[in-house]
Amino acid sequence: MARAVIFDFDGVIADTEKVHLDAFRKILAPEGVEILEADYFEKYLALDDKNFFTTLLRENGRDAGAEKVADFVKKKSLVTSEMLENCAFFEGALDLINSLAEARFPLAIASGALRKEIESVLVRGGVADCFSFIASAEDCEKCKPAPEIFLYALKGLNSSSTLSPPASARECVAIEDSSHGIAAAKAAGMKCVAVTNSHPAEALLSADLITLSLREIDAEKIASF
């Protein structure tokens, strides 16, 4: 039986993936680096900002030194913060978060987004207080599909919530939107619900449950895992 839920953020709670793509494009345009939308969603979606810039610069034969990448991450954060002020929430996401919190499920975020980006959107959605812990890009070196960020989120959740005894990975349900995210959750030993916000169902077949919308998921269904 599930005792805790860990959400991805971009593409699950908020419709922010294209916001990030537009911000990446704006920062990389002076370098002459183009990013096709199909490539972004297929190849780069799970990368945090640091790894995204490093990968794209290297693939295009540009300097990918640590100082330059750090500068790009900083510039992209400023651009993204402005764009996120008007981002939309996915159908059913806020209702699910609130219903899980009301059912006393400890909740966490495990995301490659920056902490301040996550927090600002959660506050705007009125659900920031529903989450006991946020694991963000600043916390882990390895991106999904590595399980590191989910394991870190679980550790933080056990430390900052009222879970007693501590929840094990097999008692956690992760909610994801990408194959890399699913792989990370499964590698961490968690069950995974995948929502088709960013990819079609056939790309998410390794999930334990696939849904077209989080409106179709409720606390009772989560508890049944």
Side-chain angles (χ1 to χ4, degrees), residues 5 17 50 56 58 64 136 138 156 158 163 171 174 213 216:
V5 182
E17 298 293 11
K50 176 183 175 182
L56 264 291
R58 285 176 177 169
S136 62
E138 296 92 333
N158 279 325
L163 278 168
E171 294 175 309
S213 169
E216 300 174 356

Side-chain angles (χ1 to χ4, degrees), residues 9-119:
F9 178 71
D10 297 311
V12 171
I13 295 174
D15 190 4
T16 52
E17 298 293 11
K18 289 188 178 180
V19 169
H20 288 291
L21 174 57
D22 288 344
F24 283 130
R25 282 173 165 168
K26 185 172 183 177
I27 301 303
L28 287 172
E31 295 284 326
V33 175
E34 297 183 359
I35 312 164
L36 297 178
E37 184 172 314
D39 287 343
Y40 177 73
F41 279 91
E42 182 178 349
K43 298 166 60 177
Y44 308 118
L45 196 66
L47 297 179
D48 60 23
D49 292 356
K50 176 183 175 182
N51 284 284
F52 180 89
F53 282 122
T54 300
T55 300
L56 264 291
L57 289 169
R58 285 176 177 169
E59 287 181 351
N60 287 273
R62 306 299 198 275
D63 170 35
E67 185 175 341
K68 182 174 183 178
V69 169
D71 180 57
F72 277 15
V73 169
K74 183 177 180 179
K75 289 178 179 176
K76 191 258 182 180
S77 176
L78 294 174
V79 172
T80 303
S81 294
E82 295 178 2
M83 293 179 173
L84 287 176
E85 292 178 3
N86 298 310
C87 73
F89 294 92
F90 281 109
E91 181 183 42
L94 298 181
D95 287 341
L96 177 59
I97 292 167
N98 281 312
S99 68
L100 289 170
E102 289 172 6
R104 304 185 70 81
F105 274 95
L107 306 180
I109 297 282
S111 171
L114 296 175
R115 181 178 303 278
K116 70 175 185 178
E117 296 171 359
I118 298 169
E119 291 177 341

